[in-house]
Amino acid sequence: MATYKSAVREAELQLEAAEKSMQLAKLFMMEIAQLESVDLYMNYESEMPDEVYESYKSGVERMLKDEPMQYILGYEWFYGRKFKVNQDVLIPRPETEELVSNVLVAVDERTGHREEPLTLIDVGCGSGAIGLSLKLEEPSLQVTLGDISAEALVVAKENATTLEAEVDFVCGDMLQPFIDQGIKVDVLVCNPPYIPSTQEIEATVKDYEPNVALFGGNDGLYFYKKVFDTCHLVLKEHALMAFEIGYDQKEALLQEATTRFPQAKCEVLQDMYGKDRMLFVDFK
């Protein structure tokens, strides 16, 4: 019979031999066995239930073939909540949590003594992690999520139901469905595909995550420009736009934004690692 310790050690050696992060072994065990870190260590010498061991071994074999752990589990944690994910949606990243945090600060500043609730759209919502988190953290927001992928919207709607978030959904290309429905908003949030199409990316991302949610044209800026082209059709006066960006896109996007919106305050915020990761365009 395998113990938690022997199973983790075996997985660590396999992952190391495959030049993958050995940390995945413990992280995956914690999720599969539903144990917190301290509980795992307290049970390290205990025998594993057969079904847990088999699920663990099977999952490690899939990780060795580059499949992301989150797709194997069927979920990812984001902003303290469990979101369903599959190959129809991008896996939410920790840096995107910082976008949510900064948008919440901006929303709080705008709310003040307003009688009318703020309206917000999540453009290219994928799993719904951004828009649903914002709604759950700030229930007064009126939130609509949109995506071009009907399959992604199935996942987002399931997450909304599971998390009991009352939001609306539209299907279509970037801002078009919002324009078609005459939706006007105070806040536009978007984490568009921003990897240049010529850039090499790791197999675990390229081979499993939806490419439509990853690549943003030759320079990675295609979808930002697409939003910039038509955002005036959905934004209310004194609105805010907030985007996640690639760490090396600050100068190009600031130039694009300031040229198009000279009346707005355009700034790039850094993440906890000091990388430029968020563009805010504030019209107030």
Side-chain angles (χ1 to χ4, degrees):
M1 294 289 290
T3 64
Y4 290 96
K5 181 178 181 179
S6 66
V8 168
R9 185 56 184 154
E10 180 184 9
E12 286 177 335
L13 292 172
Q14 290 176 305
L15 290 164
E16 183 180 32
E19 299 183 344
K20 302 183 185 303
S21 172
M22 294 171 63
Q23 291 182 329
L24 290 173
K26 288 179 183 175
L27 291 173
F28 187 55
M29 178 64 81
M30 288 165 59
E31 296 293 342
I32 285 290
Q34 294 293 288
L35 293 171
E36 297 292 336
S37 181
V38 63
D39 297 319
L40 176 59
Y41 282 110
M42 288 178 66
N43 288 280
Y44 232 27
E45 302 294 344
S46 302
E47 290 186 355
M48 297 179 65
D50 288 341
E51 64 274 14
V52 176
Y53 180 54
E54 291 303 319
S55 294
Y56 184 72
K57 280 203 311 178
S58 173
V60 170
E61 289 172 3
R62 290 167 66 180
M63 282 192 283
L64 291 171
K65 297 176 183 176
D66 294 323
E67 188 171 353
M69 182 178 73
Q70 295 87 344
Y71 288 157
I72 297 169
L73 293 169
Y75 63 85
E76 172 63 310
W77 292 94
F78 184 86
Y79 226 81
R81 299 179 180 91
K82 187 186 287 188
F83 283 81
K84 175 183 176 177
V85 295
N86 58 28
Q87 291 189 37
D88 293 322
V89 299
L90 199 66
I91 298 166
R93 265 60 172 184
E95 53 265 30
T96 308
E97 293 180 321
E98 296 190 61
L99 176 64
V100 169
S101 294
N102 280 286
V103 170
L104 285 170
V105 171
V107 164
D108 187 58
E109 292 173 350
R110 277 172 152 70
T111 303
H113 301 290
R114 284 174 56 110
E115 293 183 5
E116 292 293 319
L118 287 172
T119 51
L120 180 148
I121 56 175
D122 177 3
V123 182
C125 66
S127 68
I130 294 174
L132 296 180
S133 296
L134 288 166
K135 174 63 177 180
L136 292 165
E137 291 296 317
E138 187 54 66
S140 67
L141 285 171
Q142 291 186 348
V143 177
T144 304
L145 297 84
D147 204 287
I148 194 172
S149 166
E151 293 79 12
L153 287 176
V154 169
V155 177
K157 289 176 181 178
E158 187 171 332
N159 282 326
T161 300
T162 302
L163 296 169
E164 299 181 349
E166 294 186 9
V167 298
D168 295 315
F169 293 92
V170 295
C171 185
D173 187 12
M174 300 305 284
L175 295 186
Q176 197 57 50
F178 302 100
I179 296 169
D180 291 343
Q181 294 195 26
I183 295 172
K184 298 283 187 175
V185 299
D186 300 291
V187 184
L188 183 163
V189 185
C190 182
N191 179 14
Y194 55 71
I195 299 174
S197 55
T198 54
Q199 181 175 315
E200 286 293 321
I201 58 175
E202 56 189 315
T204 186
V205 176
K206 180 180 68 175
D207 295 344
Y208 287 93
E209 300 198 56
N211 285 358
V212 68
L214 291 169
F215 296 104
N218 290 335
D219 59 0
L221 305 183
Y222 174 79
F223 290 102
Y224 298 100
K225 294 175 182 178
K226 194 164 187 174
V227 172
F228 292 169
D229 284 342
T230 55
C231 63
H232 64 283
L233 298 175
V234 300
L235 296 180
K236 295 181 182 178
E237 190 177 9
H238 308 307
L240 170 75
M241 295 194 294
F243 303 86
E244 183 171 319
I245 69 173
Y247 71 92
D248 57 352
Q249 294 175 327
K250 174 182 177 179
E251 298 305 325
L253 279 173
L254 273 181
Q255 181 176 353
E256 190 76 30
T258 53
T259 299
R260 289 174 180 254
F261 313 114
Q263 75 279 31
K265 178 184 178 183
C266 304
E267 63 177 334
V268 167
L269 306 180
Q270 294 183 332
D271 64 15
M272 68 177 74
Y273 303 109
K275 292 185 177 180
D276 300 317
R277 293 311 304 261
M278 293 156 276
L279 170 68
F280 277 61
V281 180
D282 194 340
F283 294 94
K284 71 175 182 181

